[in-house]
Amino acid sequence: DAGVIQSPRHEVTEMGQEVTLRCKPISGHNSLFWYRQTMMRGLELLIYFNNNVPIDDSGMPEDRFSAKMPNASFSTLKIQPSEPRDSAVYFCASRQLMGTGANVLTFGAGSRLTVL
Amino acid sequence: AQSVTQLGSHVSVSEGALVLLRCNYSSSVPPYLFWYVQYPNQGLQLLLKYTSAATLVKGINGFEAEFKKSETSFHLTKPSAHMSDAAEYFCAVSDGGKLIFGQGTELSVKP
């Protein structure tokens, strides 16, 4: 398997522009997570989906952020409009949803976003 | 809610020395605990996990961690550091369907 695939790997944009980050989870995984990593706040969970349904979006910073999972093999995280404080590395991770929380998350390589 | 606290944002050791990275958890139920490693410009990868089967857990690259309920700790150790171990290490706890991470500890290895 190719692992969790994220695109783009790097994005530089100007304040006010729309940003869309993409994620393809591992085939057969039915739980998907979006995390944001910054120096100041570390790794923050933004949202996660089980079977394409959003379960917890309490970590989404504000209404400028939205995430979708239209099918089992694709998810997007959108920021509109973007602001400099959104600059971070955004990680997507997936796992098989089973009976316990012991299942391992597999992470993508991340999308590094810089908003000027 | 479950949480983990990593003591020390940066640890420096000499090559060949013992590595000890500290993690304490807060959980009202028996936790599932994890250690992940992140190399520069890469995603996180699993080192090891604790799922109550055994208190001493062995992971990849010679790392191991011991679950101590009395101390609410899950410290990561490696007997002899290698230059390639330089990275950031994250302790994490499963909270329902979510994985909650600590702030991370950056490990430097001096030659």
Side-chain angles (χ1 to χ4, degrees), chain A residues 24-94:
Chain A
K24 177 179 169 54
I26 290 175
S27 178
H29 284 189
N30 51 3
S31 190
L32 182 140
F33 299 73
W34 283 100
Y35 284 86
R36 177 172 69 174
Q37 185 178 36
T38 60
M39 290 290 290
M40 291 298 295
R41 301 175 68 91
L43 269 165
E44 303 172 274
L45 176 64
L46 301 178
I47 185 171
Y48 78 98
F49 299 81
N50 287 343
N51 297 313
N52 313 336
V53 176
I55 303 301
D56 185 346
D57 65 355
S58 60
M60 295 285 264
E62 47 198 275
D63 292 346
R64 298 185 297 106
F65 285 69
S66 63
K68 294 183 179 180
M69 192 163 187
N71 57 62
S73 59
F74 183 66
S75 177
T76 60
L77 178 68
K78 187 174 291 187
I79 308 171
Q80 167 62 20
S82 58
E83 296 182 3
R85 59 193 169 119
D86 301 330
S87 298
V89 181
Y90 291 82
F91 287 102
C92 177
S94 70

Side-chain angles (χ1 to χ4, degrees), chain B residues 17-95:
Chain B
L18 171 72
V19 175
L20 172 60
L21 304 182
R22 300 177 188 272
C23 173
N24 287 90
Y25 68 89
S26 172
S27 174
S28 57
V29 298
Y32 296 117
L33 295 162
F34 305 78
W35 275 99
Y36 280 80
V37 62
Q38 184 181 30
Y39 297 103
N41 300 313
Q42 295 186 27
L44 282 73
Q45 60 186 83
L46 181 74
L47 275 177
L48 50 82
K49 69 176 183 180
Y50 167 75
T51 59
S52 77
T55 57
L56 183 62
V57 182
K58 294 189 183 298
I60 62 172
N61 301 338
F63 284 93
E64 62 182 35
E66 186 172 8
F67 175 76
K68 291 187 176 180
K69 185 177 178 181
S70 61
E71 299 178 5
T72 61
S73 69
F74 189 58
H75 301 332
L76 181 71
T77 60
K78 181 174 180 177
S80 177
H82 192 273
M83 296 298 290
S84 61
D85 294 327
E88 188 152 19
Y89 292 79
F90 292 89
C91 182
V93 62
S94 183
D95 183 4

